[in-house]
Structure formats: C-alpha cells, structure tokens
Amino acid sequence: DKWIWEGDGAPMLDLAEQYGVSIIADLRDWDGETVPEYAEYPALKGFLMYDEPSSPQFEHLAYLKERFEAVMPENLLFFVNLFPEPCSYESLFGDDYDPALVDYEKYYQNYFMDTVNPEVLSYDGYALQEGGFIRTSYFHNFDIASHRAKQDGVPFWYTLCTSGHWTTDGRYVTPTDKELRWQMLLGMTYGSEALTHYVLASPDEGDDNMLEYASW
C-alpha cells in the first residue's frame, strides 16, 4: 500500500482520532482485492483512489468502484478528486481528445458523475498565485460543481490550497490565515459540506509542506 506519509502511518491515524480529524489515505494503484490492515482505524474516512483523472480513465474508475464496494468496509469512501476547469485539454480529455468535445462541464465533470456515480463530487481549485493573480474560472468552477452535486443529491467537497507550490504558469501562494479563510468561506458559500486539503509532502525546492514527519 502507498501512503500519503512515509513508513508506518499509525501515529498519524492515532493523533487524527485524538483531535477529531479524518484522514483519506492514498490507495492509488490498488490491486482491486486487498483490504489494507489499517482499514478499521476510526480516523480513516476512506481512500484516495485517483487524483485528477482524465476523462478516458472514468470507465476504469467505475469498475474499481464496483470492486471497492464488494470488499471494503461499508463506511469507507471511494474518493476521487477531479481536475479544476483551468487545465489543458490533454489533462482533462486525454492526448487524443476531440477538439469538438472540450466543454469542461459537459464532457468532464458531468461525464464523470454519470459514469462513476461517486458518493461525493470533489475537485481542487486554487485561485491565488504570486504576483496578485487570481484565476477567474475559480468562481465558475464553484458554480457548476455545486449545482451538479445538488442535482445528484450528493455532497459537494472543495479541496483548497494550503501549501505553496509551483504550477505550469506560476506559483501558488503559501496562504496566510486571511487567504485560508477566504478560500474556506467561498467553499461554504457555494455549499461545500467538507473542506479538504493535501499535505503536499514534496521535496521540490520552493514547495511548502504542511506535515513534518519526525513529529507528525
């Protein structure tokens, strides 16, 4: 099993339970059969099965979800986090995408919901970049995701930026407490029922990590 953290993850799960925090562990590349030995930990909310898939992967994710529901404890979430709208067409629709079928809402978000039938609709959307830039599609993404989640009767979750890191056209800020609140309040304004974030355990120069492994 591949964990978000290195080595034995039990200390993090124990501390998470103590402080009332839920953990979604990284189970990408799952074999479709094995139930991890830590699956019964109370703080474990579910497993990240894919982060930012492209649309050609949705059919396989639907199959994996069927396998997951057949063997995993019923309380665990099959979690997939979607790309946000401001991404390349190759990222959203695959290298062989049809230029006529590049509508994010119709051919990415709605296709995912119709194909995978997830328990939650989740995506990450980071607006604030160094230099004072804000991605304007940020607000449109909130609008269409919250409406589709409401239509399907599933929770809308929002993954906010808590760690500064590089992207293809600049660098996302390491948010101040004010910038964290701004993201969180926008998520709640659009009906987000959960606010998630990545610890971003990256060795890349310039990346800021939320987790220090020696002490958790």
Side-chain angles (χ1 to χ4, degrees):
D1 304 320
K2 185 170 72 171
W3 287 72
I4 293 175
W5 49 84
E6 297 173 349
D8 180 13
M12 174 185 274
L13 287 167
D14 288 337
L15 279 178
E17 182 182 4
Q18 178 181 342
Y19 288 101
V21 175
S22 297
I23 298 293
I24 296 178
D26 189 344
L27 200 64
R28 288 172 286 183
D29 302 322
W30 181 53
D31 62 11
E33 299 178 3
T34 305
V35 178
E37 61 182 17
Y38 51 88
E40 300 294 340
Y41 269 79
L44 188 67
K45 178 72 174 178
F47 293 107
L48 172 66
M49 306 305 294
Y50 209 104
D51 179 41
E52 299 182 334
S54 59
S55 58
Q57 296 164 306
F58 294 169
E59 295 285 351
H60 180 64
L61 289 173
Y63 164 75
L64 277 184
K65 186 169 182 286
E66 290 181 1
R67 295 295 310 135
F68 186 96
E69 292 172 346
V71 300
M72 291 289 186
E74 291 185 2
N75 63 302
L76 293 183
L77 175 68
F78 181 96
F79 182 66
V80 177
N81 185 67
L82 297 180
F83 270 121
E85 189 170 1
C87 294
S88 70
Y89 291 150
E90 289 83 1
S91 295
L92 294 172
F93 308 110
D95 292 336
D96 299 323
Y97 71 90
D98 183 342
L101 306 175
V102 293
D103 182 283
Y104 174 85
E105 180 179 5
K106 184 174 183 180
Y107 297 113
Y108 185 76
Q109 178 190 272
N110 289 350
Y111 178 37
F112 172 79
M113 297 297 291
D114 294 337
T115 303
V116 181
N117 191 28
E119 297 176 58
V120 302
L121 194 169
S122 174
Y123 75 94
D124 57 73
Y126 305 155
L128 304 175
Q129 293 180 271
E130 290 185 347
F133 297 107
I134 298 179
R135 293 190 185 278
T136 55
S137 59
Y138 187 66
F139 302 97
H140 183 246
N141 222 154
F142 269 130
D143 187 51
I144 62 175
S146 61
H147 276 83
R148 178 61 200 246
K150 186 175 182 179
Q151 173 186 315
D152 287 19
V154 300
F156 163 47
W157 288 13
Y158 167 55
T159 304
L160 64 150
C161 182
T162 55
S163 303
H165 60 283
W166 292 100
T167 183
T168 53
D169 58 354
R171 188 177 187 278
Y172 292 120
V173 300
T174 300
T176 63
D177 57 351
K178 183 178 180 179
E179 290 164 341
L180 285 172
R181 292 191 185 101
W182 180 78
Q183 294 178 84
M184 296 166 75
L185 288 170
L186 271 175
M188 290 188 288
T189 297
Y190 280 93
S192 177
E193 297 184 26
L195 299 168
T196 62
H197 78 98
Y198 288 88
V199 295
L200 191 69
S202 167
D204 295 340
E205 183 178 355
D207 284 352
D208 293 326
N209 295 310
M210 292 290 289
L211 184 65
E212 197 283 303
Y213 286 120
S215 66
W216 303 100

